[in-house]
Amino acid sequence: MELSTSSPAFQPVLHRIAAEIENTPERGRPADYIPALAACDPRRFGMAVAELDGTVYGVGDWRQPFSAQSLTKVFTLALALANGGDTLWEHVGREPSGNPFNSLVQLEYENGIPRNPFINAGALVVTDHLHTQTGDAVGTLLDFLRAESGNAHLAVNKDVAASESAHGDRNAALGHFMASYGNIGNPVPVLLDRYFHQCSIEASCADLALATGFLARHGIRADGTRLLTLSQAKQVNAVMLTCGTYDAAGEFAYRVGLPGKSGVGGGIIAVVPGRCTLCVWSPGLDERGNSVAGVAALERFTTLTGLSVF
Ligand code: DON
């Protein structure tokens, strides 16, 4: 351990990590199965840390909006639990899948109940519930992200949503397949449209680190009101730790030691319960869809600060 866990400011460690990442040649490749994401420069890098009181530290491209993609699945899960309670868990499991995030194979063996809320099938179930509960899943999500980040300008990138929709056959297959088991309530085309818009929300590392704060505050929102019970906040963090990086969740827990969630836009959010939240962005991905520089930066953060859950 090279820094005290009581270090008053995270800025020096962020600068050190950014300098190390700058000297790392291997950055992975941007997601190309969504053409609108393929043009991102894999050498972009930003990182932000938000303390419980909303103080934010950042480095590199930490104020640059990027495509949040599957990071949004953490917030829809929390909002669906807050609105509808734990009956959600009758429709989606909480076990690591050990399979890629868009895999179809497990669904048939397991009767249309997805393994967890972070693989695409599980996220579709969560968004379906949130849409039924609120009448407007994407609007509810945007309102939440804007309030928690303090950034009223957060919005959907409609070009990315259209690109996802045009190349969304696999998600459509997942949606229709689950509907055949009675595990989807809304018409599948409506659900897919909402899901593609959800994934296409753009936000910066600063926005997303702040928006994740309720998970470090044991369920308490930025304005002091409670979103989740203590148990629910613990449970969402636990599912992030075990399932948040898909078939690389074991390796992520081993290297980083924090609940984390990745997205194919190159973002990763992570939680140090009771202490702070992080968001890192770099668009180059490994073969499992996780940001190469993002995982490396988080590993360096927990190593340099000693801040992990273990
Ligand atoms: O549905 C998809 O495939 C994308 N909109 C989101 C996938 C994603 O971010 C997986 N994360 N690593």
Side-chain angles (χ1 to χ4, degrees):
M1 190 186 311
E2 299 173 38
L3 279 183
S4 157
T5 54
S6 61
S7 173
F10 289 111
Q11 206 61 58
V13 75
L14 290 181
H15 282 301
R16 176 164 171 183
I17 291 168
E20 290 179 10
I21 295 292
E22 179 64 31
N23 290 325
T24 308
E26 179 43 51
R27 293 295 184 91
R29 285 160 43 90
D32 56 8
Y33 77 101
I34 302 171
L37 299 180
C40 288
D41 176 359
R43 292 205 65 81
R44 302 293 296 271
F45 174 82
M47 186 170 186
V49 182
E51 294 187 309
L52 302 188
D53 66 358
T55 307
V56 189
Y57 305 88
V59 73
D61 297 315
W62 66 295
R63 289 195 172 98
Q64 170 69 42
F66 64 89
S67 194
Q69 293 295 322
S70 291
L71 306 185
T72 59
K73 297 172 181 176
V74 172
F75 306 106
T76 50
L77 174 62
L79 290 164
L81 289 171
N83 279 290
D86 296 344
T87 54
L88 179 68
W89 295 118
E90 293 164 19
H91 301 272
V92 60
R94 44 196 186 234
E95 290 293 345
S97 69
N99 277 307
F101 59 82
N102 54 6
S103 172
L104 276 153
V105 289
Q106 250 164 3
L107 265 184
E108 181 151 33
Y109 293 121
E110 299 181 1
N111 301 318
I113 308 289
R115 270 287 172 106
N116 68 65
F118 295 148
I119 54 174
N120 287 7
L124 285 164
V125 168
V126 172
T127 299
D128 183 50
H129 278 251
L130 186 61
H131 200 59
T132 300
Q133 290 159 357
T134 64
D136 182 4
V138 179
T140 302
L141 173 61
L142 272 174
D143 286 348
F144 178 82
L145 294 174
R146 288 172 180 156
E148 300 306 293
S149 66
N151 182 354
H153 302 295
L154 294 188
V156 171
N157 181 325
K158 294 222 156 70
D159 293 339
V160 175
S163 182
E164 291 214 38
S165 182
H167 298 83
D169 291 330
R170 188 169 276 262
N171 284 319
L174 292 168
H176 286 291
F177 195 65
M178 290 189 291
S180 78
Y181 284 96
N183 202 22
I184 295 293
N186 290 283
V188 173
V190 171
L191 172 60
L192 290 169
D193 179 71
R194 297 297 80 201
Y195 171 79
F196 293 139
H197 280 74
Q198 162 191 334
C199 291
S200 303
I201 289 174
E202 292 188 338
S204 69
C205 290
D207 297 326
L208 290 161
L210 285 167
T212 309
F214 71 99
L215 286 174
R217 292 187 295 264
H218 306 293
I220 303 292
R221 293 184 61 164
D223 66 1
T225 59
R226 182 169 285 287
L227 178 72
L228 298 180
T229 66
L230 272 177
S231 291
Q232 287 172 327
K234 176 191 73 178
Q235 290 157 358
V236 173
N237 274 315
V239 179
M240 285 173 74
L241 180 73
T242 52
C243 310
T245 45
Y246 312 108
D247 45 339
E251 181 71 8
F252 185 86
Y254 171 84
R255 288 179 61 186
V256 176
L258 293 175
K261 179 78 203 80
S262 61
V264 291
I268 306 176
I269 51 177
V271 183
V272 187
R275 185 71 174 86
C276 63
T277 47
L278 299 109
C279 181
V280 59
W281 172 60
S282 186
L285 308 179
D286 61 24
E287 65 285 353
R288 286 155 162 176
N290 300 312
S291 168
V292 172
V295 176
L298 290 170
E299 179 179 20
R300 289 302 287 149
F301 180 86
T302 54
T303 302
L304 289 168
T305 64
L307 291 172
S308 92
V309 296
F310 301 110

